[in-house]
Amino acid sequence: MRRDKIGLLFTALLFANASLSFAQNAGKHVFQLSKLSAGDTVLNGWLLKTGDKPEYALPAYNDNEWAGFDPGADLYNFKYPGQACWLRLHLNVDSALQTNEFALMANQNVASQVYVDGKLFKTYGTVSADPTAYNPINYPEHVQLPVGPHVIAVRFSLPKLFMHLHTTAYSSCILIFSINKYSNAIKNYQESEDQTNRFDGENLWLMGIFFILTITHIVLYLYHRSQKAHLYYSCITFILLCDTWLNIALQTQHSLFTAFLLNNLGNLTFVGFIFLPLTIYSIFGYRKRIAVKIILAISGLCLLTLFFTDEYETILFFYLISICNAIECIRVAILARKNKQRGAIFIITGSLFFLIMLGLQNSIPGFGGEVLFVLTLLSLPIGMTIFLATQTAMTYHALEVNLAEVQALSEKNLQYQLEKQQILADQNETLERQVTERTTELNSTLNNLKATQQQLIQSEKMASLGELTAGIAHEIQNPLNFVNNFSEVSAELLDELDEELDKGDVAEAKAIAADVKQNLQKIRHHGKRADGIVKGMLEHSRASAGQKEFVALNTLTGEYLRLAYHGWQAKNNLFNVDLITHFDANLPKIAVIPQDIGRVLLNLFNNAFYAVNQKAKTAGPDYKPTVELTTFTTPPGGGGLGVKIKDNGIGIPDAIKDKIMQPFFTTKPTGEGTGLGLSLTYDMVVKGHGGKLEVESKEGEYTQFTVSLPSN
């Protein structure tokens, strides 16, 4: 019993303290909640204090020094962005309301913490030095407020970033609190949600229509790239698709920054309406596009205004830009109608209907206004779709007429074809007989050609063998001359020996015999030298067995250079060329078919000698024929080996560089070449050894052939 009395006494003290606090603040405005209407009641009479102290939330705190403040003011005019601020409201609930079940609704663009009678009631966003704003968009929060005085305190902060954002996505107030009976608030909120859902449903329906139109006209454009009107029109329907999606996204957006981005994205979609006159231009073949440039300039100016104010955003984007594009469509369509172009009336009608609906939609509230909004968005697409459908129908009709004409012509042509078939059948028999005869002749000619080709290849090989034989003969001539000379001298010495023996001069006879012996040694030396030359050359010139052997590339190239040179001297005593060699002393042996590589080198040396010999005939006395031979590793320092053969002869014209490797192609006079030398050389290097044969040349200056052989 005593404990109950102490509790009653404590409750009385609290009530007395609250009454005292309420009395202390009686000088300030107190919001008297004595009646509530069907709509939500906006709370006013707020007091503002900058700074951040927890005691500001307590009901007993004395706020007589606080200044009055209207939190429903435009947030862009707020003087304390980025700072923590407090609002306080003294609220008196009258007993006439006969309820203590209320709903508190907030519509804000800040981060806030709401305290009711000193207790934290609700937090919206994050209140900090870098606040995160959140807008609950008037969601009813249940609160119990008994009869008597109450204090609502709000700690809030506004992000500095918002001071530079302009949007009409929803109210740009700082924060507005409304109050109502909880049952009424839930009913009002549900009605608002129903309206939002109905609006979203309308937009979803529009999105479906615009999506189908976009896909349809993109496909039509992809099948007929010349019809740019379908491309431009698909851009229009896609823009409308995006705009309807943005309308849905903005309805429940709690972030001001996101709402700003979505809203300005919506403004850009209105700029995209420039594709509408472009579609009309493409349909009617209109070339003068100065009006489009003017509309684009106006659109740019409208976008520029968003950096300074959003006061005229709806007028500039929803009305001005749309009206400019619609008027341009009407103007071009009237010109097209004057030129008697079909379908212009649909464009004119649709554009006029759009302008009428645009002017009427805001004059009719509720569901009627929503219907007008839908008709406004659909008016231009419907007019354009009817026009394009009419054009398509006309095209199909023209195709049907043409098809009937084609069928009539086809019937006439069928009879003509039947007559021709009989004639052709007779001619086919004759042609088949002639083709058989010609085929037999061609086969015979082809066989002869193949035989001739084999003979030419054999001739080329024999020509190479002849060149090699001439070189061998010239090379062996020197030791043979020594043998002959020493043989003649030895014979004369033997005669002298007989005379000295007859005289009995033994000493002189022995001296002559010693000279004869020395001559015989020289004869033997040069005979072995000739024998080595013959064996070596025959080894290189014998028929290839296709077996690779390790050879010294320097030795092989040097021998064939000498043989080719001697061969040319054997044919022409006046032939003279400076031979320059650059042998890489560090070359390893390489596995090749010596006979094939020998033929390759012989062909290339002969071509070089031919080039400098031809140039010497016309170049004058200052010309010095030169053939340069270089051996090297490929790439430099790598495992492969290479040979470069360069001459300063007549060169190769650019026009025939791509042909010189072709069989039977030659620039030599008839009888001097078969045209197979370089072709066989290419085959032996590339196909036979997996190497490369490259040529560099400048007409009248030089030619260089490079043979690259892979590593072992």
Side-chain angles (χ1 to χ4, degrees):
M1 188 70 176
R2 188 170 180 273
R3 182 179 299 172
D4 292 340
K5 290 181 178 180
I6 293 173
L8 289 172
L9 179 61
F10 184 70
T11 302
L13 288 173
L14 286 178
F15 182 78
N17 183 56
S19 300
L20 178 62
S21 173
F22 196 77
Q24 288 175 346
N25 293 289
K28 293 291 184 181
H29 175 74
V30 178
F31 189 88
Q32 297 291 340
L33 190 62
S34 56
K35 61 178 180 178
L36 292 172
S37 59
D40 301 328
T41 300
V42 176
L43 297 174
N44 54 54
W46 295 89
L47 303 174
L48 174 68
K49 178 71 173 178
T50 59
D52 193 10
K53 295 182 179 180
E55 56 265 28
Y56 291 167
L58 299 177
Y61 180 79
N62 187 353
D63 54 19
N64 286 333
E65 302 296 328
W66 288 29
F69 182 71
D70 179 13
D74 194 309
L75 64 89
Y76 305 116
N77 297 322
F78 188 59
K79 298 179 181 180
Y80 311 106
Q83 299 182 33
C85 301
W86 283 81
L87 289 175
R88 284 171 63 90
L89 175 71
H90 294 272
L91 173 70
N92 186 45
V93 178
D94 196 288
S95 60
L97 295 175
Q98 298 181 349
T99 182
N100 62 353
E101 302 294 332
F102 295 93
L104 196 63
M105 286 76 68
N107 182 16
Q108 64 177 29
N109 290 306
V110 296
S112 65
Q113 291 177 330
V114 183
Y115 294 83
V116 177
D117 293 332
K119 295 181 180 180
L120 180 63
F121 171 69
K122 198 69 182 177
T123 298
Y124 300 114
T126 303
V127 182
S128 64
D130 184 18
T132 301
Y134 178 85
N135 191 349
I137 315 179
N138 286 323
Y139 182 79
E141 299 287 351
H142 180 259
V143 61
Q144 289 186 341
L145 296 174
V147 174
H150 300 278
V151 174
I152 299 176
V154 181
R155 176 176 177 252
F156 73 97
S157 58
L158 171 67
K160 291 183 179 180
L161 176 64
F162 289 180
M163 303 305 295
H164 307 287
L165 303 183
H166 295 273
T167 179
T168 56
Y170 46 69
S171 174
S172 58
C173 64
I174 299 173
L175 69 166
I176 296 176
F177 284 94
S178 304
I179 196 169
N180 204 342
K181 288 183 180 180
Y182 184 71
S183 57
N184 290 347
I186 291 295
K187 178 182 177 182
N188 293 342
Y189 185 78
Q190 189 60 50
E191 289 176 355
S192 175
E193 284 292 294
D194 292 342
Q195 183 178 2
T196 299
N197 291 336
R198 184 173 67 250
F199 184 74
D200 289 346
E202 295 166 359
N203 280 284
L204 286 172
W205 180 65
L206 289 172
M207 283 179 66
I209 294 175
F210 295 143
F211 177 77
I212 293 171
L213 289 174
T214 301
I215 296 299
T216 301
H217 287 277
I218 286 177
V219 171
L220 289 173
Y221 169 71
L222 292 176
Y223 275 96
H224 304 282
R225 296 294 180 92
S226 59
Q227 300 295 323
K228 292 292 184 66
H230 290 294
L231 176 63
Y232 295 143
Y233 185 58
S234 66
C235 293
I236 290 295
T237 54
F238 178 73
I239 287 168
L240 290 171
L241 173 65
C242 294
D243 190 65
T244 49
W245 173 80
L246 290 170
N247 287 337
I248 295 174
L250 278 170
Q251 293 303 308
T252 56
Q253 187 51 245
H254 296 283
S255 169
L256 176 63
F257 182 71
T258 306
F260 166 78
L261 294 179
L262 294 177
N263 188 67
N264 283 284
L265 208 59
N267 293 334
L268 288 176
T269 62
F270 283 99
V271 176
F273 270 88
I274 197 66
F275 285 104
L276 193 60
L278 289 176
T279 305
I280 307 302
Y281 291 170
S282 179
I283 290 172
F284 296 122
Y286 187 74
R287 300 292 180 185
K288 299 177 182 179
R289 303 194 174 189
I290 184 66
V292 168
K293 296 178 181 178
I294 294 174
I295 295 173
L296 282 174
I298 293 173
S299 301
L301 291 174
C302 292
L303 288 173
L304 191 61
T305 61
L306 291 179
F307 290 96
F308 304 101
T309 179
D310 61 348
E311 184 176 358
Y312 305 105
E313 181 179 352
T314 302
I315 296 174
L316 293 176
F317 289 95
F318 192 75
Y319 289 100
L320 179 62
I321 294 177
S322 302
I323 290 172
C324 288
N325 284 291
I327 290 175
E328 175 62 8
C329 292
I330 293 173
R331 185 183 72 85
V332 176
I334 290 173
L335 293 176
R337 185 166 178 78
K338 288 181 179 179
N339 294 329
K340 298 182 179 180
Q341 290 181 271
R342 293 180 300 180
I345 188 63
F346 295 109
I347 305 300
I348 297 172
T349 304
S351 299
L352 288 174
F353 188 74
F354 168 77
L355 292 175
I356 293 171
M357 293 297 101
L358 193 66
L360 292 177
Q361 65 170 343
N362 288 329
S363 61
I364 300 177
F367 181 73
E370 295 177 14
V371 172
L372 285 179
F373 173 77
V374 172
L375 292 177
T376 302
L377 288 180
L378 287 178
S379 55
L380 285 176
I382 288 174
M384 188 68 68
T385 302
I386 293 174
F387 170 75
L388 292 175
T390 304
Q391 292 288 89
T392 304
M394 291 179 179
T395 302
Y396 283 149
H397 177 70
L399 288 174
E400 288 177 355
V401 173
N402 292 336
L403 181 61
E405 294 176 355
V406 169
Q407 288 176 342
L409 291 173
S410 296
E411 292 177 359
K412 293 180 181 178
N413 191 45
L414 181 61
Q415 184 63 32
Y416 176 69
Q417 293 295 329
L418 291 174
E419 295 174 358
K420 285 179 64 178
Q421 284 178 0
Q422 185 60 40
I423 297 173
L424 289 173
D426 297 337
Q427 290 180 347
N428 283 339
E429 294 179 2
T430 303
L431 288 173
E432 286 178 0
R433 185 175 62 257
Q434 292 177 349
V435 167
T436 303
E437 294 173 356
R438 293 290 176 86
T439 302
T440 303
E441 294 176 3
L442 287 173
N443 287 334
S444 176
T445 303
L446 181 60
N447 291 332
N448 293 335
L449 182 60
K450 288 181 178 179
T452 303
Q453 183 177 358
Q454 292 299 324
Q455 291 174 3
L456 285 171
I457 293 173
Q458 186 62 29
S459 174
E460 179 66 24
K461 291 181 178 180
M462 294 304 295
S464 298
L465 184 59
E467 297 284 350
L468 184 62
T469 303
I472 293 172
H474 193 278
E475 179 75 5
I476 205 172
Q477 189 64 45
N478 288 333
L480 288 178
N481 287 337
F482 280 108
V483 171
N484 290 334
N485 291 336
F486 283 115
S487 297
E488 291 175 2
V489 172
S490 296
E492 292 175 359
L493 288 174
L494 288 173
D495 290 338
E496 292 178 6
L497 179 63
D498 289 339
E499 292 176 0
E500 295 299 327
L501 288 174
D502 290 340
K503 293 177 182 180
D505 191 349
V506 176
E508 184 63 26
K510 287 183 177 181
I512 293 173
D515 291 339
V516 171
K517 185 178 180 180
Q518 185 178 4
N519 286 346
L520 289 174
Q521 289 176 348
K522 292 181 178 179
I523 289 171
R524 182 182 180 187
H525 169 73
H526 288 290
K528 287 185 177 180
R529 179 183 169 198
D531 180 62
I533 291 171
V534 170
K535 286 182 178 179
M537 294 304 101
L538 290 177
E539 178 70 18
H540 292 316
S541 62
R542 72 172 183 266
S544 172
Q547 297 296 324
K548 290 186 177 182
E549 302 174 12
F550 281 94
V551 300
L553 191 61
N554 287 342
T555 303
L556 189 66
T557 54
E559 288 177 356
Y560 276 95
L561 175 62
R562 188 170 61 255
L563 285 174
Y565 179 64
H566 290 326
W568 272 81
Q569 281 191 327
K571 293 187 293 184
N572 183 2
N573 293 330
L574 300 178
F575 179 75
N576 188 28
V577 177
D578 285 345
L579 300 179
I580 301 174
T581 58
H582 303 284
F583 292 123
D584 188 342
N586 298 320
L587 288 184
K589 288 188 176 183
I590 186 169
V592 296
I593 303 173
Q595 298 79 14
D596 287 353
I597 297 301
R599 291 192 183 100
V600 168
L601 294 170
L602 196 60
N603 282 332
L604 296 178
F605 288 139
N606 284 332
N607 284 345
F609 291 146
Y610 177 83
V612 296
N613 190 47
Q614 290 297 107
K615 187 172 181 180
K617 295 177 181 179
T618 58
D622 294 333
Y623 173 63
K624 188 177 182 180
T626 304
V627 173
E628 187 175 350
L629 168 64
T630 305
T631 59
F632 58 94
T633 57
T634 58
L641 304 184
V643 179
K644 289 183 181 178
I645 300 170
K646 183 175 181 181
D647 65 76
N648 62 345
I650 57 177
I652 303 172
D654 291 337
I656 65 171
K657 278 184 182 178
D658 295 335
K659 301 178 182 178
I660 60 174
M661 302 293 180
Q662 296 176 4
F664 308 111
F665 179 82
T666 181
T667 59
K668 296 177 181 178
T670 304
E672 292 189 22
T674 62
L676 291 172
L678 284 177
S679 174
L680 293 175
T681 297
Y682 181 84
D683 288 345
M684 285 187 283
V685 172
V686 177
K687 297 179 181 178
H689 289 79
K692 291 193 298 183
L693 179 62
E694 299 170 302
V695 60
E696 298 178 24
S697 183
K698 187 172 183 181
E699 187 176 5
E701 293 188 14
Y702 75 94
T703 298
Q704 176 177 282
F705 282 92
T706 303
V707 178
S708 301
L709 300 172
S711 61
N712 296 327

